[in-house]
Amino acid sequence: MEHLTTRKIIGAAIEVHRRLGPGLLESTYEMCLAQEFKFLNISYERQCSYPLIYREVLLESGFRLDFLVEKQVVVEIKAVEAISNIHVSQLLTYLRLLNLRKGLLLNFNVPALKDGIKRVSNEPEETSLRPSTFSAPLR
């Protein structure tokens, strides 16, 4: 289900980027992506604020997401030269705090949006299912 949702989100983002191109503010892309979600009947929450418990104290507005799409995928909008490790760490923290598995970083400040999409997962890697790059072939 999350895979289908991320595909719909990426399709909507590509449409926004196709119409606007790079060079605008994050807030502009966010507003337009919200409109695209409406056109496509994709359910979302925008600029959602979530509480955070820190040292047993409830902080009403602990953090804020750009989008939570279909209650399962966190989307963070960027308009930067390049996505950095801190952007990925931020999204991973959001996913961990909300106990969600999938997130997307969408950087609209690129000539082709496919180069500005970063999928982020909060799932432990299943290394036992992946062949080791150091193992010799079986004979």
Side-chain angles (χ1 to χ4, degrees):
M1 186 72 166
E2 292 162 344
H3 179 70
L4 178 60
T5 302
T6 57
R7 286 182 59 190
K8 291 192 291 186
I9 295 165
I10 291 169
I14 287 171
E15 181 62 19
V16 169
H17 190 270
R18 186 183 71 75
R19 290 174 178 270
L20 298 178
L24 299 171
L25 296 173
E26 289 177 17
S27 57
T28 304
Y29 295 112
E30 184 183 317
M31 288 186 295
C32 293
L33 188 56
Q35 287 302 309
E36 197 63 32
F37 288 159
K38 285 180 187 176
F39 294 144
L40 297 171
N41 293 315
I42 297 171
S43 68
Y44 69 93
E45 295 175 49
R46 181 173 162 217
Q47 287 298 317
C48 354
S49 183
Y50 290 90
L52 177 70
I53 297 174
Y54 179 75
R55 290 186 170 239
E56 300 178 20
V57 175
L58 178 66
L59 306 173
E60 287 299 324
S61 185
F63 59 100
R64 181 180 304 272
L65 309 178
D66 289 342
F67 290 100
L68 178 59
V69 180
E70 296 186 354
K71 300 198 183 299
Q72 58 185 345
V73 179
V74 175
V75 178
E76 284 296 305
I77 306 297
K78 302 295 177 196
V80 294
E81 189 172 325
I83 292 174
S84 70
N85 289 339
I86 194 66
H87 298 131
V88 175
S89 295
Q90 176 188 26
L91 182 51
L92 275 170
T93 298
Y94 293 165
L95 292 172
R96 182 178 48 81
L97 290 172
L98 293 170
N99 198 29
L100 295 171
R101 299 184 320 177
K102 300 293 180 189
L104 287 171
L105 278 168
L106 302 175
N107 181 18
F108 284 87
N109 198 31
V110 291
L113 189 64
K114 68 179 178 66
D115 299 324
I117 298 169
K118 175 78 176 166
R119 289 174 175 85
V120 178
S121 177
N122 186 33
E123 297 177 287
E125 292 186 37
E126 296 182 37
T127 53
S128 61
L129 299 179
R130 243 185 294 132
S132 171
T133 54
F134 301 106
S135 64
L138 297 174
R139 295 182 188 199

